[in-house]
Amino acid sequence: DQQVKQNSPSLSVQEGRISILNCDYTNSMFDYFLWYKKYPAEGPTFLISISSIKDKNEDGRFTVFLNKSAKHLSLHIVPSQPGDSAVYFCAATLDSWGKFQFGAGTQVVVTP
Amino acid sequence: SQTIHQWPATLVQPVGSPLSLECTVEGTSNPNLYWYRQAAGRGLQLLFYSVGIGQISSEVPQNLSASRPQDRQFILSSKKLLLSDSGFYLCAWSAGTSGGSDTQYFGPGTRLTVL
């Protein structure tokens, strides 16, 4: 059973605009969340994280929002750039061993 | 700085043949190590994780196995590959110091095609 879901398999956004990626989870015990970015034929790279004690974390153009009551996570990229075109995975964990549950990913395409 | 290596980068194997994928980490000691698989159109599925030499936990029952013969070496194996084993295999490590809040760092991956 998929505990972390990214219901939008793809997203197309114009350069300079905001990209909003969504992620829903079912396990209310998850206490740490991350976003990874993945280019084709490469391993994912860490982008940004958020602990369950916060509702927002910002790093440059990337902001992650956490709504615990709705079990919803989102990533905002502002402004979107062509180099942001990649697959974005959200991940969650409740485990002391760092066993993350990953969503299926959202393919972002930033057009000029 | 820490570096994670995986090889081979790509592999084409016939059904029923054995498999051995290797992952090594440099620049850190006693890392947690992970094997993931990304199948076409799907997210990352955790296959195995290890918190120390000889300590392997399996997340998904399958015909794959993992071993950790050295602190910074993690091997994914199979005695007989199935068509469904095709996918992109990723090794990852984390420092293991913050428990679940450790960021995981991924290797470049191995693209396995079973024919």
Short mmCIF file of all heavy atoms in Angstrom, two decimals, chain B residues 23 25 101:
data_model
loop_
_atom_site.label_atom_id
_atom_site.label_comp_id
_atom_site.label_asym_id
_atom_site.label_seq_id
_atom_site.Cartn_x
_atom_site.Cartn_y
_atom_site.Cartn_z
N CYS B 23 28.20 -1.39 -4.64
CA CYS B 23 28.11 0.00 -4.20
C CYS B 23 29.18 0.22 -3.15
O CYS B 23 29.33 -0.59 -2.22
CB CYS B 23 26.72 0.26 -3.62
SG CYS B 23 26.51 1.84 -2.78
N VAL B 25 31.11 3.39 -0.69
CA VAL B 25 31.05 4.76 -0.19
C VAL B 25 32.43 5.15 0.31
O VAL B 25 33.12 4.35 0.95
CB VAL B 25 30.03 4.89 0.95
CG1 VAL B 25 29.94 6.33 1.43
CG2 VAL B 25 28.66 4.40 0.49
N SER B 101 15.95 11.30 10.57
CA SER B 101 16.06 12.59 9.91
C SER B 101 17.33 12.71 9.09
O SER B 101 17.64 13.77 8.57
CB SER B 101 16.03 13.71 10.96
OG SER B 101 17.12 13.58 11.84
#
